């Protein structure tokens, strides 16, 4: 899953208006930001096998530190502690923790049975929506659309950057998504991992956007800040 994770990050603005979009996207995509690093370090393994699913050419051999349920919960807890410590915004910290965990459950929908519950355990789960190309598109694009519209509904542009940098990110994410769906498989695991590392730029893009947008007046929420 790709834009689905970003969609949930965008939408979480509704639950934590004072948390930057950059932090929300960082949390929702966090374990996919760790994963390329672990691939490069050789602690986690993936194989490129075109045709293994209808959607992705990847066989996820082993990724317990980034993608097992227990590990994801530990990452989430760290997120809560660090963010709460720095920002003193408990609501934001809880939303970020839930976003980190949301990643695993969204992956659970699309992945084949390759997600471990805990490192070292044999049970692997996954509902395998990737067996269906249209099913994957419908689910992921719906999540993205709902999330983006929530973000749009809860924020207003302060200036032209706030408007156009946001739309540029939305279009860019869609382009990357369709590029992955219809483009050739990655030439090597290393290339895949380095492209994965470049996702950090998307996080900075999120922080940049958020600084140029303000919280919209939404019923029942303070618009302070
Ligand atoms: Zn993932």
């Amino acid at each position: 899953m790709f834009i689905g994770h970003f969609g949930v990050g965008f939408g979480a603005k509704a639950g934590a208006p004072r948390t930057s979009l950059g932090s929300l996207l960082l949390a929702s995509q966090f374990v996919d930001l760790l994963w390329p690093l672990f691939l490069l370090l050789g602690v986690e393994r993936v194989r490129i096998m075109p045709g293994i699913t209808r959607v992705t050419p990847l066989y996820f051999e082993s990724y317990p530190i980034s993608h097992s349920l227990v590990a994801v919960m530990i990452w989430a807890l760290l997120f809560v502690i660090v963010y709460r410590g720095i920002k003193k915004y408990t609501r934001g910290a809880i939303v970020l923790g839930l976003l980190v965990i949301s990643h695993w459950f969204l992956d659970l929908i699309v992945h084949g049975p390759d997600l471990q519950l805990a490192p070292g355990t044999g049970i692997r789960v996954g509902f395998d929506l990737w067996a269906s190309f249209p099913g994957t598109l419908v689910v992921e694009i719906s999540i993205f659309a709902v999330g983006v519209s929530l973000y749009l509904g809860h924020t207003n542009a302060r200036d032209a950057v706030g408007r156009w940098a946001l739309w540029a990110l939305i279009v860019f994410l869609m382009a990357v998504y369709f590029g992955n769906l219809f483009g050739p498989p990655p030439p090597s695991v290393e290339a895949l991992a380095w492209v994965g590392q470049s996702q950090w730029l998307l996080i900075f893009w999120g922080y940049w956007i958020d600084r140029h947008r303000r919280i919209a007046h939404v019923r029942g929420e303070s618009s302070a800040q």
Side-chain angles (χ1 to χ4, degrees), residues 21 27 31 59 70 91 114 157 214:
L21 177 64
V31 304
Y59 171 64
V70 168
R91 188 185 177 94
D114 56 40
R214 68 169 73 86

Side-chain angles (χ1 to χ4, degrees), residues 5 26 37 44 139 145 151 184 219:
H5 296 302
L26 175 64
L37 177 67
E44 298 196 335
V139 167
Y151 183 78
R219 196 162 42 89

Side-chain angles (χ1 to χ4, degrees), residues 10-132:
F10 273 108
K13 189 73 172 176
R18 280 164 48 206
T19 298
S20 170
L21 177 64
S23 300
L24 298 170
L25 298 180
L26 175 64
S28 64
Q29 189 62 343
F30 188 61
V31 304
D32 273 5
L33 288 158
L34 294 178
W35 180 62
L37 177 67
F38 293 144
L39 288 178
L40 290 170
L41 293 173
V43 247
E44 298 196 335
R45 289 188 310 277
V46 68
R47 273 194 262 169
I48 298 163
M49 300 173 75
I52 185 143
T53 77
R54 289 283 170 81
V55 178
T56 178
L58 303 179
Y59 171 64
F60 298 86
E61 209 177 333
S62 169
Y63 55 165
I65 311 168
S66 64
H67 275 76
S68 70
L69 178 58
V70 168
V72 167
M73 289 176 138
I74 294 169
W75 295 122
L77 189 63
L78 280 172
F79 235 90
V80 173
I81 293 167
V82 170
Y83 187 83
R84 174 74 184 74
I86 294 172
K87 295 285 184 180
K88 318 284 181 229
Y89 178 35
T90 306
R91 188 185 177 94
I94 291 167
V95 167
L96 291 175
L98 291 173
L99 280 176
V100 175
I101 294 171
S102 80
H103 186 107
W104 193 87
F105 286 93
L106 288 178
D107 274 1
L108 179 70
I109 298 171
V110 293
H111 278 238
D114 56 40
L115 290 156
Q116 282 174 277
L117 298 180
T121 56
I123 306 167
R124 286 163 182 266
V125 290
F127 299 148
D128 204 16
L129 184 62
W130 278 338
S132 164

Side-chain angles (χ1 to χ4, degrees), residues 136-154:
T136 302
L137 280 184
V138 167
V139 167
E140 211 165 343
I141 291 173
S142 307
I143 296 171
F144 187 68
V146 170
V148 166
S149 52
L150 279 170
Y151 183 78
L152 285 168
H154 282 78

